[in-house]
Amino acid sequence: MISGKLRDALNKQVNEELQSYYIYLGIAAYFEEKNLNGFAHWMHLQAEEERNHAMRIYNFLYDRGARVNLLPLDAPPAEWASPLAAFEEALDHERKISGLIHHLVDLAVEEKDHPTQAFLQWFVNEQVEEEAAADDIIQQLKLVGDAPTGIFLLDRELAQRQPAAGGESG
Ligand code: FEO
């Protein structure tokens, strides 16, 4: 049986992952408005991954005999100064999420909850990939600067992103 403390923390993480979904959907909407459809496509897939992250935790809580209490979401920003600023916000957000996941692992160790520790390892690895993916695009955007041709080519590249296998990782 999962402890009340750990249950509440995982329940809060469901909310954090759904909040991530909402932030990425907001960034996708910003790109859509700018006719950067490849950037928007990349963000839509990212948003979908976040929903899947939330569902992983949701299902785990039910597997452990706990129930989920859905919490309110905050409205995401609607405007960014540039594509670079939008991706920098995404990276900052992922760093925050990584910290929350690490805190959950610490709590699972404290509570001697081995199934939760094992469950969370997937998220620890996933966060490394998520931070790297956002940082990679930031570096490319910095190289491109304001050059429209560079933004156009990067938009075409990001349009190639495929959904993760099983829709749950990547
Ligand atoms: Fe679910 Fe991007 O962290």
Side-chain angles (χ1 to χ4, degrees):
M1 188 68 182
I2 196 162
S3 74
K5 200 171 168 186
L6 201 45
R7 177 204 59 211
D8 290 349
L10 285 167
N11 191 76
K12 182 73 174 55
Q13 192 63 27
V14 172
N15 179 258
E16 295 286 353
E17 300 292 344
L18 289 173
Q19 188 66 56
S20 303
Y21 166 81
Y22 217 32
I23 289 171
Y24 290 132
L25 192 61
I27 300 178
Y30 159 76
F31 284 133
E32 224 118 34
E33 200 199 344
K34 300 251 173 287
N35 287 319
L36 290 170
N37 296 330
F39 281 87
H41 167 78
W42 195 98
M43 278 296 167
H44 275 296
L45 288 186
Q46 192 58 36
E48 195 50 33
E49 286 195 5
E50 298 303 345
R51 200 188 69 81
N52 286 325
H53 294 171
M55 290 311 297
R56 267 185 184 246
I57 303 169
Y58 174 106
N59 289 326
F60 180 74
L61 280 167
Y62 278 103
D63 286 347
R64 298 294 307 282
R67 66 152 299 165
V68 172
N69 288 307
L70 294 172
L71 303 167
L73 297 175
D74 297 326
E79 201 56 52
W80 285 266
S82 63
L84 176 61
F87 269 91
E88 282 176 336
E89 174 149 355
L91 179 58
D92 281 351
H93 184 72
E94 287 306 331
R95 286 179 173 149
K96 180 192 133 182
I97 296 291
S98 297
L100 293 172
I101 296 289
H102 298 166
H103 178 70
L104 282 170
V105 174
D106 291 344
L107 194 57
V109 170
E110 217 174 89
E111 301 281 311
K112 297 184 170 56
D113 188 320
H114 295 276
T116 302
Q117 288 173 44
F119 169 74
L120 288 170
Q121 282 312 304
W122 184 90
F123 284 89
V124 171
N125 295 330
E126 174 72 356
Q127 283 310 119
V128 173
E129 285 183 25
E130 299 241 311
E131 286 188 32
D135 192 46
D136 193 46
I137 296 167
I138 286 171
Q139 297 315 318
Q140 292 186 61
L141 281 166
K142 282 183 176 169
L143 278 176
V144 159
D146 292 332
T149 314
I151 297 284
F152 173 77
L153 289 174
L154 192 50
D155 189 61
R156 284 178 65 170
E157 186 187 320
L158 295 183
Q160 303 305 314
R161 182 177 179 180
Q162 300 292 320
E168 289 185 335
S169 63

